[in-house]
Each structure stands twice: as C-alpha cells, then as structure tokens.
Amino acid sequence: MNLMSTGDLIPWANLPEGTRLDLHSHTKCSDGGLSPKELVDRAVNFQIDILAITDHDTVAALDIANEYIVDQKIPLKLVNGIEISTGWEGFEIHIVALNIDEKAPELLQLIKRQQQAREERAIAMGEKLEKCGFDNIYNQAKKISGDGSITRAHFAKVLVREGHVSAMQKAFDKFIGKGQRAFVKANWCSIEEAIAAIHLAGGSAVMAHPVRYGLSTKWLRRLVVHFKENGGDALETVLPQMGNEQRKLMLSFCLEYDLKASMGSDFHYPSKWSDLGRNLTMPDQATPVWQSW
Ligand code: AMP
Ligand code: MN
Ligand code: MN
Ligand code: MN
C-alpha cells in the first residue's frame, strides 16, 4: 500500500488500515538463505511495508539493509531487530528484540558473549559428529556461515550435502536436536539478561514463537510468567502455520498477563509453506507491540 517513502515518520500508534508488517526474518548473516539486500527486495515484492530483520545473535544485516533502503529510496521501513537465544529450565527460548539501537554497548557486549557461546558449541558439536563418523563437519559449517552467526542449520546443511542425512530436519531428529548424539548444550545468556540488554538498547522484548518449544500449557504459562516478571513486553502471537487453538491461547496469555502482541513469519528462505508477510493478521483485542514506538 506504499505507506511511506524513505525517511518518513511512521504513525506507529495509528498505522493506516492495510499496512503490512512482518516482524521476524533472517538473512545470510545467520541461517537465512538471502542476503540482506535480497531480503529487502523480496519484502518489497511481497508488498510488505514494515520489516524487522531479526538474525540469530547478530545485528550485522541491519546496516547493510538500512544503507540499501536509503541509497535506493526503497519504500520499506526497516525495524532493527535481533533474535537472542537464551537458556531457561533446560529449554532454549528465543527472545526477539525489536526497534533497538543496534549500536548500544550493552547489547553489543551480549552479542559478543553469544557469539562465543555459538563458537564453543560449534566446535564441541564438530567433535561429537566426528565420533559419529562424520569428518570435518565443523570446518565446512564454519565455511558456509562465513562471518555470520554459526548455527545448527549450517551443520544440518552440511550433513545433507555430505549425504549423511536425507533432509535438514533429519539432521536435527537424528544428531543435533536436543537429546540426540551430537547435541551440545550451549552456554546462552538467561532470559532476564536478554531482556535487560534489549531495554538498555531502547527496544521491545518479544518472546519468539512460544508455541514451538513443545511445552505443555502449564509449562508455557510458567515461561510466560517468568518472561513478564523480568520485564518482557510482548508475545509473538501471530505466526504462519499456527492453529486456531494456539492463536486463542496466545491471545489469552497476552490479555491475562498484560503483554503486547507481535507477529512475524520467521522467514528463512522461500518455501511452499511460509513466506514473508503471509497469513499475518493482528487480532482486534491484542495491543500491538509497535503501539508505543
Ligand atoms: P541454533 O540457533 O544454532 O540452535 O539453530 C537453530 C536453527 O535451526 C533454528 O533457528 C531453525 O532455523 C533451524 N532448525 C530447523 N529445524 C530445526 C529443529 N528441528 N530444531 C531446532 N532448530 C531447527
Ligand atoms: Mn533459524
Ligand atoms: Mn527462533
Ligand atoms: Mn527466527
């Protein structure tokens, strides 16, 4: 709907009807398939007005995308974001930060720590995979991750390419997923540390895809309470491929615990099942996370 031209102020509290937002996406700077510029181009082609780039534990794509948008006068508003991996009660919980100052020192310090945790885990995962009979996986994963965040998705890709598994999902199911032979628990920061760094960077802390942690409703509630008690701002309430019951549960948590709502596709690369901005509509009763920006 061409909401804006470059540099316009966004009427966050009162976005025009029909504004299309996607507040969760990845680039090659972590485990996405597109470069930051390609992602921006795709967002425009998909008629997205507002896009958040939220790579795993890195903000490297933001400058590249922002510069491209300004230079080429691209009609897309970029929301600066990051997806931070945290540890809670033995689970890996992802916290998306939105509307951050990506240069805030406390955030940069946390990112450095997370990158170190990623590197240490990657090395240990490589050693475990050696013991499974797969040589040189770490070096290859490192190579395809380049100078971006090294993720398990890179390992899965190499395991497929080398013919050790038939599909990326199988790599998780058989080797690198939780509880499998080559799984390594990473030394992630805590939820409270992530939220504190996000707030110091002026951003909103959003619990990413709460329905994807395989938690029972009782545990999910516990997680939401913990998140709220530590200053969390919003739940990702709207994702593609989410059932009606799940949508209702997320909305009820938002209302019960006075949390705002966010929505995003968690786009990694084009696929049959999901794409940028698809199936994302904010429920009327929810308070959108961008309301206070
Ligand atoms: P990491 O953050 O390094 O642990 O990598 C996890 C990433 O791998 C996720 O963000 C997903 O993009 C991808 N992934 C794909 N399938 C799975 C799976 N079954 N379990 C966990 N992660 C998966
Ligand atoms: Mn990912
Ligand atoms: Mn995630
Ligand atoms: Mn994600």
Side-chain angles (χ1 to χ4, degrees):
M1 64 166 292
N2 216 344
L3 170 73
M4 67 216 66
S5 51
T6 315
D8 281 357
L9 281 177
I10 310 293
W12 285 113
N14 215 349
L15 287 181
E17 184 101 9
T19 303
R20 284 168 57 88
L21 301 96
D22 190 330
L23 298 179
H24 189 156
S25 69
H26 295 274
T27 76
K28 276 186 181 164
C29 294
S30 65
D31 58 355
L34 306 184
S35 70
K37 289 182 187 177
E38 287 166 343
L39 182 69
V40 165
D41 287 341
R42 191 171 185 89
V44 173
N45 285 338
F46 276 66
Q47 294 168 317
I48 308 280
D49 301 296
I50 300 172
L51 174 76
I53 297 182
T54 55
D55 274 313
H56 298 286
D57 297 307
T58 176
V59 291
L62 302 178
D63 269 356
I64 304 168
N66 267 315
E67 229 168 78
Y68 180 54
I69 287 168
V70 171
D71 285 354
Q72 306 290 317
K73 300 191 171 54
I74 292 171
L76 176 72
K77 167 67 185 171
L78 189 75
V79 173
N80 287 335
I82 183 171
E83 181 171 13
I84 302 172
S85 293
T86 72
W88 175 77
E89 302 277 355
F91 299 102
E92 296 196 357
I93 307 299
H94 292 179
I95 306 294
V96 160
L98 296 175
N99 206 22
I100 45 167
D101 167 8
E102 80 283 14
K103 308 242 184 317
E106 297 84 1
L107 182 69
L108 293 177
Q109 204 177 337
L110 184 75
I111 290 172
K112 204 169 156 191
R113 220 179 102 192
Q114 295 283 101
Q115 287 299 327
Q116 198 178 331
R118 285 193 171 275
E119 185 60 25
E120 285 165 9
R121 179 189 61 161
I123 291 168
M125 214 163 19
E127 285 164 3
K128 285 199 172 181
L129 287 166
E130 295 266 337
K131 290 191 182 126
C132 296
F134 310 143
D135 293 338
N136 206 29
I137 305 296
Y138 165 78
N139 285 327
Q140 294 182 74
K142 189 76 190 163
K143 197 165 170 193
I144 57 171
S145 70
D147 47 18
S149 282
I150 187 161
T151 73
R152 282 185 294 165
H154 295 105
F155 279 81
K157 215 169 177 177
V158 172
L159 289 169
V160 173
R161 196 177 66 192
E162 295 297 297
H164 301 314
V165 289
S166 58
M168 278 175 66
Q169 188 56 50
K170 287 253 159 59
F172 284 92
D173 295 346
K174 288 181 157 174
F175 298 105
I176 58 177
K178 192 174 175 186
Q180 304 308 313
R181 279 176 74 193
F183 176 76
V184 179
K185 193 168 175 285
N187 189 23
W188 303 131
C189 66
S190 66
I191 290 179
E192 41 279 44
E193 286 169 320
I195 294 173
I198 292 165
H199 285 168
L200 285 168
S204 300
V206 180
M207 189 192 295
H209 43 67
V211 295
R212 268 199 239 143
Y213 301 118
L215 298 175
S216 65
T217 304
K218 190 175 149 193
W219 271 92
L220 198 50
R221 184 180 290 278
R222 228 177 252 180
L223 172 60
V224 170
V225 167
H226 179 77
F227 177 72
K228 175 70 186 180
E229 281 174 355
N230 285 283
D233 300 293
L235 303 181
E236 225 170 46
T237 307
V238 187
L239 312 145
Q241 303 163 293
M242 202 168 155
N244 248 338
E245 287 309 307
Q246 292 180 319
R247 275 175 210 269
K248 274 195 217 152
L249 182 65
M250 285 309 105
L251 181 60
S252 73
F253 280 156
C254 285
L255 298 176
E256 187 174 347
Y257 297 105
D258 189 25
L259 288 159
K260 295 183 185 122
S262 185
M263 60 184 193
S265 63
D266 200 4
F267 176 83
H268 282 74
Y269 33 78
S271 88
K272 254 191 278 184
W273 303 280
S274 84
D275 215 311
L276 280 173
R278 207 188 277 173
N279 291 330
L280 300 176
T281 315
M282 186 56 69
D284 287 337
Q285 302 105 299
T287 305
V289 62
W290 57 83
Q291 193 93 84
S292 55
W293 291 353

